Amino acid sequence: MVWAFSFFLFSSAAPPTVRIIHSGHACNVEEERHTERVYTIREGETLELTCLVTGHPRPQIRWTKTAGSVSDRFQDSSVFNETLHIAKILRTQGGRYYCKAENGLGSPAIKSIRVDVYYLDDPVVTVHQSIGEAKEQFYYERTVFLRCVANSNPPVRYSWHRGREVLTQGSDKGVEIYEPFFTQGETKILKLKNLRPQDYANYSCIASVRNVCGIPDRSVIFRLTNKTASPSIKLLVEDPIVVNPGQTVSLVCITTGGEPPPTLTWVSSNDSLPQRSVVKGGTLTLPAISSDEAGVYSCVASNNVGNPAKKSTTIVVRALKKGRFWITPDPYHNDDNIQIGREVKISCQVEATPPEELTFSWLKNGRALRSSERMVITQTDPDISPGTTNLDIIDLKFTDFGTYTCVAALKGGGIPEISIDVNISSTTVPPNLTVPRGKSPLVAREGDTVELECLVSGKPKPIILWSRADKEAPMPDGSMQMESYDGVLRIVNVSREMTGSYRCQTSQYNGFNVKPREAVVELIVQYPPTVEPVYMEMRQGLGRPVVMTCRVLRAHPSRVLRFEWLLSNRLLHAGAFDAQRDETEYTIRSLNRDGWGEYTCNVINEAGAGKCTFQVTGKAYPPEFYYDTYSPLWQNRPRVYGFKLQWTQMNPNAVDRIVAYRLGIRQMGLQRWWEQEIPVDVAINKGELMTHNLTELIKPESYEVRLTPITRFGEGDSTIRIVTYSAPINPHLREFHCSFEEEPICMFTQDKNDDFDWTRHSAATRDTKYTPNTGPSADRSGSKQGFYMYIETSRPRKEGDQARLVSPFFNVAPKNPYGITNPPAYCFGFFYHMYGKHIGTLNAFLKQKGQTTSEGPAWSLSGNQGERWKQAKVSIHPTASFQVVLEGIRGPGIEGDIAIDDLRALTTPLPDQVEIQERGSNLRQLPAFNYHLVGGKNTVALATVL
């Protein structure tokens, strides 16, 4: 590969611009005046939007989305990529999509496009009888309502059929079709007044969105008979059902009425049925049921007639858990101790399901204990303190000392009993809490395992509750309190956030029911210094000073012992840290080649070291490619293209002067790079634009271009970009062709200042219901699946309305890149179809870049030209980049659709006699005639076939 290149320096910076192009499977794209573009797509298809940006430095791109419905919450899902790709799009993914580009210059550029997802669900018919006349069945003299509903976008249109008969308002006095006042949309309610024998029939509801996006109509059939009735059911189970855990439970539901036969489903109050449950017909089986699966289970019957029938039952799973006790000394004396001659009460509590089956019994030293005058056994009101029993010992005697056992059981059996032993003796004393000597404050290092300890005495020994004493904060396990049976709180991998005060406190259960005892333990967590910067790259030229600063943000203990500076493990400097300062510096007065490398500053305290790392290098920053156009190409000679590579250098003065750039280029998909050095003889200033022309690039290949700056240090950071040849984007005329088969329509755009838009369509999907005698029956090649552009002249269009389609800019490619002395001739050709008795006018205009006033059309044709495609060519001599504007003007009626297809741009000059080919005919030469010819310096005669 050979390059011829030139190298220029310019000063350039440009704020961002942005526009959105679309591909994927769009049904239609419309330009909404004063708002934004609307992209229509069918649910399940692929959405693909591309954000094309210009600006220098190259802007950063971000896609965001807002929900399409006011009822939806704002959604913000960002995509930092040029192309937004959503496969199998869902209806919930419709909405307004924004592309934002910013590069720090001026305001960010933002464009949006609204994505409208079309869909149509199967319709559902529900049947209701008027409330005052509702019976089990729909007899004569009854009024019936059939309601049809289908979810859709756009709004659905409904139609009703009785058998093969189409039902419309007024077609039958016994039938009314209307829309209830509280809904919006089209007719969907069918009212049958005072049922007649002929009203018992098959009714079809057809839902249609008029074939938009190729979505077919959907229908449902309902058979109405004199036996049609809403559902009724019966549960063959008790309510509630009380079972033991592990049992298999079967719930049986049967239908007792309903026509059509109802469908039975089971639902649970737990949101969903248990994973192991089995539903077979109307029977729900729950194998080996557990307490988590208890709840309300409902059988629901539905046949779309009247309201669904619902019957419920509650499943209760027996359980006993959380047995607790507490001892209450004589409440009439201000003493927490148990003493002979005074009263003492023992309380026992459990959680029971169902609570009404709970029974308690008491034992003393293993023997049954009955209530008496001195031993009073009571059970607390379940509404006040459920599951609690008390044993009051009046006038405690020495013989009352012993072990008392509270036994909890369920009447139904099958659940193990819970036994709680409480010892009452002369050694039964209230609890006491102390912190062992040397255990507070407790000092630990971050990452250690620590044990906070409180010594608890007393009998019985209570459970200890740990919590934060200094602030409302969760404990290490995430809870607000942690239980400990031995008074020790163990914390694994302690962190600096855990520094603070911790409270240990006796619980009021499993011990004395007295004022809680508590103590406080202080925890101090030491950690190494936190420093900044953790990592910093410092680029500098030879002979210049370099200052590195390592700053301490926080540390515990805050007294820092020492610091040390190293270069690649070689000690440079060490010392004690200045207590008055929070940073240390190391200075290189004059950087030499030995000074390049990785510098480390370790700041050390008792807990460890914090490390700052500095990478000192002479590597140049990467260049920044200049994106002034989407794909800036210039032409060298036939079939050989060039690329105008433009860039600026990021921070060129930060390091030594850049002496050259290494340019690499390779075809996409290949491994081999072709490389070449571009010398730079002068110093580059910040913002200067450099240009290098690549030649000998063969279209349609795409290339990867790599650019690397070189200094005395060596190679700097590289930048890579892709050069993609795409005729529709800033195209060259030599090979431009557009048949509108792809949605981006070759970068043609709709004029914002006309009256309506051109429409991309194919004969296979176009609706000819309203205008059957106009428009093409196929595209120019004869395919019904092929696409073309046309103007739809049906209402609300009126005579004289204009629709303009604007081409992308075409570059004029001179042999001399510095200017145009002899403008070359170009030929722009296209096929048109102008069939219908109301055909208006088709015009073609030439619009050159920088042109402020518009000349007359370069080509114009009016009236009916027959039901066939014809070709037109126009020869032009532009002196600057230009666009072609195709204008369709609506005629006096609706049979005036004008279509265009197969646009081509040629670089061969047009002769006086033009060769034209019709579909299915041979080439022939015809003179130019029957045109409305308009003079102009860029226009010559045109010809067509009649």
Side-chain angles (χ1 to χ4, degrees), residues 552 558-563 575-583:
V552 179
S558 57
R559 183 172 59 89
V560 177
L561 299 179
R562 66 185 189 279
F563 66 85
F577 205 90
D578 188 346
Q580 303 301 317
R581 299 183 61 193
D582 60 358
E583 62 185 31

Side-chain angles (χ1 to χ4, degrees), residues 739-741 761-764 778-779 781-788 901:
S739 59
F740 305 114
E741 296 305 317
H761 235 310
S762 69
D779 74 346
S781 67
S783 168
K784 289 188 178 295
Q785 281 71 40
F787 284 84
Y788 53 85
D901 199 1

Side-chain angles (χ1 to χ4, degrees), residues 155-156 158 179-180 183-188:
V156 69
Y158 300 91
E179 174 73 17
T183 63
Q184 299 292 328
E186 304 199 19
T187 301
K188 53 188 171 186

Side-chain angles (χ1 to χ4, degrees), residues 541 544 652 655-660 680-684 710-712:
R544 302 179 190 175
V655 295
D656 294 323
R657 185 178 75 82
I658 294 171
V659 296
V680 179
D681 298 328
V682 296
I684 301 171
I710 300 173
T711 63
R712 287 190 291 175

Side-chain angles (χ1 to χ4, degrees), residues 534-707:
V534 175
Y535 177 85
M536 176 181 287
E537 184 182 62
M538 305 187 74
R539 305 196 186 206
Q540 189 61 278
L542 295 175
R544 302 179 190 175
V546 179
V547 179
M548 292 165 278
T549 303
C550 185
R551 182 175 295 106
V552 179
L553 300 179
R554 52 191 172 275
H556 194 88
S558 57
R559 183 172 59 89
V560 177
L561 299 179
R562 66 185 189 279
F563 66 85
E564 56 185 22
W565 285 91
L566 302 96
L567 172 60
S568 302
N569 297 321
R570 177 169 58 90
L571 184 64
L572 301 174
H573 179 52
F577 205 90
D578 188 346
Q580 303 301 317
R581 299 183 61 193
D582 60 358
E583 62 185 31
T584 176
E585 289 185 353
Y586 184 77
T587 302
I588 305 173
R589 294 183 180 179
S590 179
L591 182 64
N592 56 31
R593 294 182 181 274
D594 294 333
W596 284 325
E598 183 177 276
Y599 290 78
T600 301
C601 174
N602 293 322
V603 182
I604 306 163
N605 70 355
E606 296 175 11
K611 183 168 69 173
C612 295
T613 300
F614 301 88
Q615 186 69 42
V616 179
T617 177
K619 181 188 291 188
Y621 285 97
E624 297 177 299
F625 284 117
Y626 185 66
Y627 286 79
D628 56 338
T629 59
Y630 304 116
S631 186
L633 304 176
W634 54 272
Q635 187 179 3
N636 186 42
R637 59 180 184 273
R639 290 193 298 276
V640 177
Y641 282 68
F643 181 79
K644 186 178 181 181
L645 195 66
Q646 296 177 295
W647 72 93
T648 59
Q649 177 60 43
M650 180 190 296
N651 300 330
N653 300 319
V655 295
D656 294 323
R657 185 178 75 82
I658 294 171
V659 296
Y661 284 94
R662 177 166 289 114
L663 175 67
I665 185 168
R666 67 178 177 183
Q667 291 183 7
M668 292 296 291
L670 301 183
Q671 296 296 320
R672 183 178 180 184
W673 287 88
W674 297 86
E675 292 191 333
Q676 176 187 9
E677 278 199 7
I678 306 172
V680 179
D681 298 328
V682 296
I684 301 171
N685 294 321
K686 186 173 183 178
E688 286 186 328
L689 183 65
M690 288 156 278
T691 301
H692 177 79
N693 290 332
L694 303 175
T695 62
E696 306 295 334
L697 307 180
I698 309 299
K699 188 176 183 289
E701 296 292 345
S702 294
Y703 294 87
E704 190 173 7
V705 179
R706 181 176 65 196
L707 196 62

Side-chain angles (χ1 to χ4, degrees), residues 928-939:
F929 66 102
N930 199 41
Y931 273 103
H932 174 202
L933 299 179
V934 182
K937 62 183 180 180
N938 297 315
T939 309

